[in-house]
Amino acid sequence: MDNITAMVSKILNSKGRIFTVSFIKKDGSIRVLNGRLGVKKYLKNGDSTLNPNEYITIYDLKNKGYRAVNISTIINIKGL
């Protein structure tokens, strides 16, 4: 199991715990996001069109919104 696979596995098995993930955005800058999985309060009608094998949808606690994180660009996770 490679490093990215291990980190993704930890995120997907976080059971709603808050964690920090660092990743590279599309524009090449590094982003640090504090968030959690499983937040459904702010969902609107519709399903995600993102490929779940490429992206993880994380609720950003600071900016109060959902963020799509490209799995292949994850650098580090903390808190899990």
Side-chain angles (χ1 to χ4, degrees), residues 46-59:
D47 295 322
S48 176
T49 59
L50 299 174
N51 182 346
N53 296 324
E54 293 181 28
Y55 294 94
I56 299 175
T57 302
I58 301 173
Y59 184 76

Side-chain angles (χ1 to χ4, degrees), residues 3-22:
N3 196 25
I4 290 179
T5 305
M7 288 189 286
V8 170
S9 178
K10 284 183 178 183
I11 291 171
L12 294 176
N13 294 315
S14 64
K15 299 180 182 173
R17 292 191 317 224
I18 296 171
F19 59 90
T20 302
V21 61
S22 302

Side-chain angles (χ1 to χ4, degrees), residues 54-72:
E54 293 181 28
Y55 294 94
I56 299 175
T57 302
I58 301 173
Y59 184 76
D60 184 346
L61 296 171
K62 181 179 178 185
N63 296 311
K64 298 189 185 331
Y66 297 94
R67 304 292 180 255
V69 176
N70 187 329
I71 291 171
S72 65

Side-chain angles (χ1 to χ4, degrees), residues 22-56:
S22 302
F23 61 97
I24 301 170
K25 294 179 7 177
K26 269 188 178 179
D27 66 5
S29 63
I30 294 176
R31 173 150 190 207
V32 178
L33 182 147
N34 292 316
R36 59 183 283 222
L37 300 182
V39 176
K40 299 187 185 308
K41 182 176 181 180
Y42 305 103
L43 288 176
K44 295 188 168 66
N45 293 336
D47 295 322
S48 176
T49 59
L50 299 174
N51 182 346
N53 296 324
E54 293 181 28
Y55 294 94
I56 299 175

